[in-house]
Amino acid sequence: MTLTGFIAKNALRNKRRLSLSVTSVAVSLFLLVVLQVALRELTNPINDEGSSLRIIVRNKVSLAQPLPARQLQVLERIPGIAAITPFTFYGGLYKGDEKFTSFAQFAVDPARTLPLITDAKVPREQLEAWLADRTSCIVGKMTADRYGLKIGDRMQFTSQLYPADLEFKIVGIYEGTADDRNVFFHHKYLDESLGNPGTVGTWWVRAASIEEAPLVTARINQAFANSSAEVRAESERAFVLGFVSMWGNIQTLIGGISVVVVFALLLVTVSTMSMAIRERFRELAILKAIGFRRRELFAFILAESFGLAMLGGVLGVGGAYLLCNSLDIQKLSNGLFLLFEVTPRMVGFGFSVAALLGVLAAAAPMMTVARTSVVEGLKTLD
Amino acid sequence: MALPVRYSFRNALVRWRSTLATVLGIALVVFVFVLLQSLAAGIEKSSGNTGDPRNILVVRKGATAESASLISRENFRQIQYFEEIARTERGEPIISADVLVLINLPRRNNGGEANVLLRGVTPRGMELRPQVTLVAGRWFTPGKREVVVSAKLARRFANFDLGESFKSGTAQLTVVGWLDGGGSAFDSECWLDADEARAIFERDMYSSFLIRPKDEVAGTNLIARIENDRRFKLKAEKEVEYYRKQTMTAAPIKWLGGFLAVMMSVGAVFAAMNTMYAAVGARTREIGTLRVLGFRRRAVVVALLIEGGFLAFLGGVLGCALAFYWNGYTTATLGFETFSEIVFQFRVTPLLVIEGLVFAVIVGVIGTLLPAVRASRLPVIVALKSV
Amino acid sequence: MIGRFMAAEAEEPIVQIRELFKVYQQGEINVTALNGISLDITRGEFLTLMGPSGSGKSTLLHIIAGVDRPTSGSCHVQGIDVTALNESELADWRNHNVGFVFQTFNLIPVLTAYENVELPLLLTRLSSGERRRQVQTALELVGLADRQHHLPRQLSGGQEQRVAIARALVTDPSLIVADEPTGNLDSHSAQDVLTILQSLSRSAGKTVIMVTHDPKAAAYGSRSVHLEKGELSN
């Protein structure tokens, strides 16, 4: 029998406890990874090339304050802008939804929007149909799938923000953008229902190049400084991060709670594993009596504890990985989460915690072993 | 016949060193659960605590919040002379047409920016909201660009101290007073003169009407009259009802609390299980002795369940105590309905404490069940022989 | 006096063992612990079971006390075939008829001497007053009335064993079984314990069955039976 064999035999002897320990490590690490995934998803917006090119221009007062439509003429003269469209969040509740609809609807100028959603794949004839019909809209594939919508269907909305309840005809379904959920429709249609108020929610701008994007942002802010409607232009990413910052204390709180959660589970796990080893005290005493040195006993304890923790890590982190990759999280979370991706960094972090756990759990029994004499250890026989 | 309860209690306590980790683990589970639920309770309580039961609030149909509502001046002219509305001694109808504006302002200490709810309010509207009191400075002067901010928001936003001013839109607004909403949703608002607000933010429309009807019956009639009139696309309901329904922000927190509780309780059950397996293992002979004395299996199982439940209960008490430390602590987040910073307090309600304790005991009992059954299933003779 | 009277009246032996076999399955090997034992024990006897380790003496004791079951054969105690009772019936039966004394005392560490002795009475319908009286009597009988509020770890081994005897006595069982009761005691404490057991059979009319491999201890008994490889050897 080799030493490794001996360690394995030892660990496997009490299968019930082995599985309990491994499972509790696995559950803790699973939760740890899932919390990280969720936190990342909520605080870290999608970052692709398009989103750093795109700029959102809103009223400096707040997002809820509209902008005058006449600003378009000024904006069009700003150098470095490749495309620009009015972009108004309609805030519609899709028929049947009481308080919350999982996708957004935006009023845009369709002809001007196409260069802004270059990554969207839409058949040419659908785009043409959209441009042609004032009451039509295009729908993201995720939303279309979710509600079983197809071209030719009609969608009715009640707006939470505007006194205009609208009905759109679906003429196209797009996919391939970072968020294939939104509905785009004609700004003109919204304007008409509101009696042409001459306002837009925000402007959606595409810079000519990534290098120029910060300059464009600055130019836009400058252009309307000290006007009756000052604006705040920022990259799409900064815009989304602004929302995250609005969460305020809750974000810190959830972060703090995640720490507590993980700490609680680690505490429990460490104690579980220490208990497993402490129960083997008599054996360790016998080994000592036979002539094993303290160092070798430490190695036994550490190897077992480490092995347990790592096995738990594989199950927990692996489980989280599999779950996050196979679940249709968008559907499950009602559109709150989109990607739910386990990054290599999280996997690394999970395993580091597992390793730490293995060492920590071994510490207490090792200390006791070091302090206990052979005679005392053998006494615990009884 | 059962074993004496003190047998269970003393056993739970005598091994406190080995059970400490389990008790702490359960305590933290309960802590997280109660804390998150108290957060949700705080949000619900602050909005449930808002309004005067006599008042009726009118917003646009379809708008989920006052701040997202738009009502025309024409509607105001039509409604203000309805005979259901109470009158002042001078015969003026008691109705306040308010304007709500979201403004984006910087937090203190470079804490990013957040939306603040600015309410353009009429003198009538102030009378209709007696919950709101001035705690520092003075009220704004009509016709001047002055604002009274919530004292609780003042601690969170830059330039909110008395005498300071901030720019929004084309206007420079001076803070002249601090208000207190008495733990209601008004604690998350800043007030200024309604006409000034409409001028500064170029609002032609109103956001909401707050009405005092003549009496209860008139109130019911008024709600029906506004709702049924085809000319209006308006929704009228009691002010308290409106605020009571503003619970969207609390929902995901509740959900998160529940989710974490479930996940963590799996770990806690394992912990309790391990602790109790060890306890049972160490006491195998003792349990054998009890059986020899004539105690039945069920008595042994019950005694061990009480022991495990009691341990977990201790953890629950500790967890509730930890959570209670935060009771009343003021915090804030983005309100989903108003889309602005809402201030509220952690509320550890008695119900939450009970829920937390029950939750703990359930974890303890589930964790003990298998070890207890295993202990009772051991043949007496094996139990006696075991070292 | 009463004891002698009862013993005289009881023609029938209190324990009747017939053709008792006990076979253990140890891995794939069958181990015969008892090989067809027949034995009668009369009321008021102090019987000692002797024999080397593995001779089956403890097994025999356990079957008589109703904590183990034979493979075949019967064991009647006061006319009841204990081998035919189910788990719960056995538990009740043990509570009423048998007092058990262990080599390792087996007191409940978290309960005081008094509470340990009271434990079996919790299974009866006695009022708390009656319970207190009986516990006091039992503790006085073993000479530990002054130690009743001590926890087991605050007592010496001999005292612990005497508490265990009090616990065995407290329900007033007719049968007291003791498995190496002096095995963990010094000779002085052992003497105390044996004297108490002896007086229980002599003056209280209890039937005492004791397993021991110490001939000095066996000398306190009124009859001695030897076992060898699962059979009676004399």
Side-chain angles (χ1 to χ4, degrees):
Chain A
M1 187 176 69
T2 61
L3 275 183
T4 330
F6 177 68
I7 292 168
K9 262 190 194 157
N10 245 336
L12 288 170
R13 200 182 45 176
N14 191 338
K15 291 209 179 57
R16 169 173 45 77
R17 212 211 344 264
L18 173 76
S19 46
L20 277 177
S21 308
V22 169
T23 322
S24 58
V25 177
V27 169
S28 342
L29 291 177
F30 175 82
L31 198 54
L32 177 71
V33 171
V34 170
L35 276 172
Q36 273 190 291
V37 169
L39 216 58
R40 169 174 176 268
E41 183 97 4
L42 291 176
T43 56
N44 212 2
I46 296 151
N47 193 15
D48 57 1
E49 198 194 357
S51 74
S52 30
L53 272 178
R54 286 190 293 261
I55 295 163
I56 306 258
V57 184
R58 63 155 170 95
N59 195 307
K60 202 173 176 186
V61 169
S62 77
L63 188 60
Q65 192 76 359
L67 288 168
R70 59 183 140 78
Q71 286 184 336
L72 182 62
Q73 287 132 37
V74 182
L75 286 166
E76 276 182 319
R77 266 181 269 130
I78 292 175
I81 291 183
I84 178 164
T85 174
F87 189 61
T88 302
F89 178 62
Y90 172 66
L93 287 177
Y94 184 48
K95 57 159 193 207
D97 289 335
E98 275 282 311
K99 276 205 137 183
F100 180 71
T101 286
S102 67
F103 57 94
Q105 315 86 38
F106 295 102
V108 295
D109 182 337
R112 290 170 171 277
T113 304
L114 296 183
L116 276 151
I117 49 171
T118 42
D119 38 5
K121 287 186 254 318
V122 206
R124 210 185 150 70
E125 67 276 11
Q126 293 185 4
L127 278 179
E128 277 164 7
W130 185 38
L131 291 174
D133 185 348
R134 211 171 30 82
T135 65
S136 69
C137 71
I138 56 169
V139 179
K141 192 168 184 308
M142 279 185 177
T143 298
D145 287 349
R146 182 173 167 171
Y147 291 92
L149 297 167
K150 53 188 190 306
I151 289 171
D153 286 351
R154 293 186 165 273
M155 298 181 89
Q156 282 134 14
F157 291 95
T158 314
S159 175
Q160 295 170 277
L161 303 176
Y162 296 96
D165 296 344
L166 300 178
E167 185 183 285
F168 311 125
K169 193 172 99 193
I170 301 172
V171 294
I173 291 172
Y174 70 87
E175 62 180 312
T177 67
D179 181 1
D180 287 339
R181 287 181 297 179
N182 304 331
V183 168
F184 294 102
F185 65 97
H186 288 245
H187 210 286
K188 268 195 196 122
Y189 186 34
L190 178 64
D191 287 340
E192 280 167 23
S193 336
L194 293 172
N196 294 311
T199 58
V200 302
T202 60
W203 298 107
W204 203 19
V205 173
R206 185 188 163 99
S209 68
I210 291 182
E211 293 73 40
E212 236 175 325
L215 295 173
V216 171
T217 311
R219 281 176 203 146
I220 296 174
N221 284 329
Q222 187 60 42
F224 297 101
N226 297 317
S227 77
S228 63
E230 290 190 71
V231 301
R232 162 74 66 83
E234 54 198 350
S235 71
E236 226 178 59
R237 189 179 157 79
F239 178 77
V240 179
L241 280 173
F243 279 85
V244 175
S245 126
M246 280 191 218
W247 285 4
N249 296 10
I250 292 289
Q251 197 193 339
T252 333
L253 187 88
I254 289 176
I257 281 176
S258 310
V259 173
V260 173
V261 168
V262 171
F263 178 73
L265 290 171
L266 294 194
L267 182 79
V268 157
T269 310
V270 167
S271 103
T272 302
M273 298 197 341
S274 310
M275 212 183 289
I277 294 162
R278 210 179 306 144
E279 211 172 73
R280 209 148 316 126
F281 229 60
R282 167 168 34 149
E283 251 163 58
L284 292 170
I286 293 169
L287 288 177
K288 235 177 174 175
I290 292 173
F292 279 93
R293 275 161 305 176
R294 193 179 288 178
R295 189 154 25 104
E296 283 146 345
L297 295 185
F298 284 175
F300 282 150
I301 296 173
L302 201 59
E304 183 175 339
S305 166
F306 201 76
L308 267 179
M310 277 303 166
L311 187 57
V314 168
L315 290 178
V317 178
Y321 184 81
L322 284 182
L323 187 83
C324 292
N325 281 358
S326 61
L327 270 188
D328 187 355
I329 194 72
Q330 201 236 329
K331 204 173 236 171
L332 276 177
S333 65
N334 218 352
L336 182 63
F337 297 115
L338 203 60
L339 278 180
F340 232 65
E341 186 189 21
V342 178
T343 62
R345 245 192 75 196
M346 294 177 198
V347 173
F349 182 62
F351 277 105
S352 315
V353 171
L356 186 70
L357 200 65
V359 175
L360 279 182
M366 283 205 294
M367 252 151 41
T368 331
V369 165
R371 266 190 275 126
T372 320
S373 70
V374 177
V375 185
E376 275 177 285
L378 287 174
K379 254 195 209 154
T380 56
L381 272 170
D382 193 31
Chain B
M1 191 60 198
L3 277 155
V5 182
R6 59 179 182 272
Y7 169 77
S8 304
F9 288 175
R10 285 189 202 162
N11 266 313
L13 294 175
V14 87
R15 296 176 297 116
W16 69 269
R17 247 181 277 261
S18 57
T19 54
L20 192 64
T22 306
V23 171
L24 277 180
I26 291 174
L28 289 176
V29 175
V30 171
F31 168 65
V32 166
F33 173 75
V34 173
L35 193 71
L36 280 171
Q37 300 299 330
S38 77
L39 205 60
I43 294 172
E44 282 173 354
K45 180 138 192 276
S46 124
S47 107
N49 188 22
T50 309
D52 186 314
R54 292 170 296 178
N55 293 349
I56 284 170
L57 186 75
V58 180
V59 294
R60 185 181 65 79
K61 209 168 247 170
T64 40
E66 228 182 322
S67 55
S69 158
L70 294 168
I71 313 179
S72 68
R73 299 167 71 151
E74 194 193 349
N75 282 166
F76 180 67
R77 282 194 294 274
Q78 288 159 331
I79 287 174
Q80 69 172 324
Y81 294 115
F82 279 10
E83 70 272 12
E84 288 90 349
I85 300 174
R87 307 259 165 161
T88 61
E89 285 151 15
R90 282 186 291 169
E92 292 161 350
I94 305 180
I95 174 170
S96 172
D98 292 352
V99 180
L100 284 109
V101 185
L102 281 180
I103 58 171
N104 200 253
L105 292 174
R107 287 217 175 90
R108 280 183 194 265
N109 309 323
N110 296 323
E113 294 184 341
N115 287 338
V116 173
L117 194 61
L118 205 60
R119 182 185 291 275
V121 68
T122 63
R124 201 73 74 222
M126 290 162 73
E127 284 162 27
L128 284 170
R129 296 181 178 90
Q131 274 178 308
V132 178
T133 54
L134 192 71
V135 289
R138 58 173 174 82
W139 282 110
F140 52 81
T141 317
K144 282 199 173 166
R145 299 195 160 178
E146 293 173 346
V147 58
V148 174
V149 301
S150 149
K152 287 190 175 113
L153 283 179
R155 274 174 224 128
R156 313 182 64 83
F157 283 89
N159 309 319
F160 267 22
D161 286 331
L162 295 184
E164 291 186 316
S165 68
F166 56 89
K167 193 175 179 226
S168 188
T170 52
Q172 193 76 25
L173 292 166
T174 308
V175 176
V176 296
W178 282 6
L179 63 80
D180 180 75
S184 72
F186 299 127
D187 271 332
S188 311
E189 295 186 358
C190 298
W191 285 11
L192 79 167
D193 181 54
D195 291 330
E196 278 306 306
R198 291 176 53 214
I200 297 167
F201 300 102
E202 297 173 349
R203 288 296 176 91
D204 196 33
M205 307 243 231
Y206 299 106
S207 299
S208 67
F209 304 150
L210 189 63
I211 300 171
R212 173 69 55 81
K214 279 182 176 144
D215 49 44
E216 189 79 19
V217 181
T220 319
N221 291 344
L222 186 67
I223 291 173
R225 189 168 167 188
I226 292 173
E227 293 258 339
N228 295 334
D229 196 322
R230 288 286 179 94
R231 289 176 298 169
F232 313 136
K233 280 201 154 180
L234 298 178
K235 181 176 173 61
E237 63 185 324
K238 290 198 162 178
E239 189 187 15
V240 286
E241 284 297 317
Y242 167 83
Y243 281 105
R244 201 172 292 148
K245 285 189 219 152
Q246 305 264 307
T247 54
M248 240 171 98
T249 317
I253 296 176
K254 273 186 174 171
W255 186 84
L256 180 73
F259 170 75
L260 285 181
V262 168
M263 286 303 289
M264 288 176 77
S265 63
V266 174
V269 163
F270 283 144
M273 236 191 233
N274 255 322
T275 311
M276 290 309 288
Y277 265 126
V280 164
R283 298 217 307 270
T284 308
R285 199 167 53 190
E286 178 179 319
I287 289 160
T289 308
L290 290 173
R291 302 260 286 119
V292 169
L293 292 179
F295 287 97
R296 295 190 186 178
R297 278 180 180 159
R298 213 178 334 143
V300 172
V301 171
V302 169
L304 288 172
L305 285 182
I306 293 174
E307 190 178 326
F310 175 68
L311 266 183
F313 179 80
L314 291 181
V317 170
L318 188 62
C320 286
L322 282 176
F324 198 77
Y325 174 79
W326 294 88
N327 190 33
Y329 182 82
T330 301
T331 185
T333 190
L334 177 68
F336 285 178
E337 274 106 353
T338 58
F339 201 57
S340 68
E341 181 111 327
I342 53 167
V343 184
F344 57 93
Q345 278 99 39
F346 286 85
R347 293 276 175 219
V348 180
T349 62
L351 183 72
L352 280 183
V353 170
I354 292 169
E355 275 179 24
L357 292 179
V358 168
F359 179 72
V361 171
I362 290 174
V363 164
V365 168
I366 292 178
T368 314
L369 201 58
L370 285 178
V373 168
R374 192 177 98 105
S376 76
R377 287 240 175 270
L378 276 180
V380 182
I381 193 79
V382 174
L384 283 178
K385 275 184 186 158
S386 115
V387 193
Chain C
M1 292 286 280
I2 299 167
R4 208 167 289 150
F5 170 70
M6 282 171 70
E9 198 186 52
E11 294 285 308
E12 200 161 288
I14 183 167
V15 179
Q16 273 185 315
I17 295 164
R18 292 291 173 268
E19 283 300 303
L20 215 51
F21 284 87
K22 176 72 183 181
V23 182
Y24 290 110
Q25 192 94 29
Q26 223 167 48
E28 296 187 352
I29 311 154
N30 285 335
V31 180
T32 307
L34 296 178
N35 198 6
I37 293 215
S38 297
L39 178 68
D40 282 355
I41 301 166
T42 38
R43 206 175 279 273
E45 229 183 323
F46 184 176
L47 181 80
T48 56
L49 293 174
M50 296 194 61
S53 297
S55 61
K57 55 190 192 305
S58 287
T59 308
L60 181 57
L61 188 79
H62 287 146
I63 291 173
I64 297 170
V67 294
D68 202 358
R69 288 167 184 284
T71 312
S72 69
S74 70
C75 173
H76 284 82
V77 179
Q78 292 183 304
I80 295 168
D81 186 358
V82 293
T83 61
L85 298 177
N86 70 26
E87 275 284 332
S88 312
E89 289 166 345
L90 259 182
D92 288 345
W93 178 83
R94 280 198 301 267
N95 183 244
H96 291 115
N97 298 288
V98 188
F100 216 116
V101 181
F102 307 89
Q103 176 176 4
T104 49
F105 327 138
N106 288 7
L107 297 179
I108 309 299
V110 296
L111 300 181
T112 62
Y114 179 94
E115 287 164 344
N116 263 293
V117 176
E118 191 189 19
L119 210 51
L121 292 182
L122 296 174
L123 292 166
T124 64
R125 284 159 191 268
L126 295 179
S127 72
S128 62
E130 287 168 309
R131 285 210 303 262
R132 191 175 321 122
R133 232 180 354 262
Q134 274 183 252
V135 174
Q136 296 286 6
T137 314
L139 280 170
E140 274 161 30
L141 206 71
V142 297
L144 282 174
D146 54 334
R147 293 294 167 95
Q148 51 180 303
H149 296 304
H150 289 225
L151 287 170
R153 66 182 142 77
Q154 297 164 319
L155 299 171
S156 73
Q159 288 170 330
E160 277 194 78
Q161 191 61 298
R162 274 144 66 196
V163 173
I165 293 173
R167 182 177 65 185
L169 279 177
V170 76
T171 52
D172 195 24
S174 36
L175 199 61
I176 291 184
V177 297
D179 193 353
E180 303 261 16
T182 57
N184 278 11
L185 298 178
D186 61 86
S187 64
H188 185 74
S189 304
Q191 235 172 4
D192 288 350
V193 165
L194 290 166
T195 313
I196 292 171
L197 289 177
Q198 193 176 43
S199 74
L200 284 175
S201 87
R202 281 195 183 159
S203 48
K206 307 282 179 205
T207 310
V208 180
I209 308 169
M210 176 174 81
V211 163
T212 183
H213 51 234
D214 176 10
K216 271 190 245 159
Y220 283 81
S222 57
R223 175 158 70 114
S224 197
V225 172
H226 284 262
L227 271 90
E228 193 99 35
K229 290 179 182 160
E231 288 171 31
L232 295 177
S233 63
N234 57 337

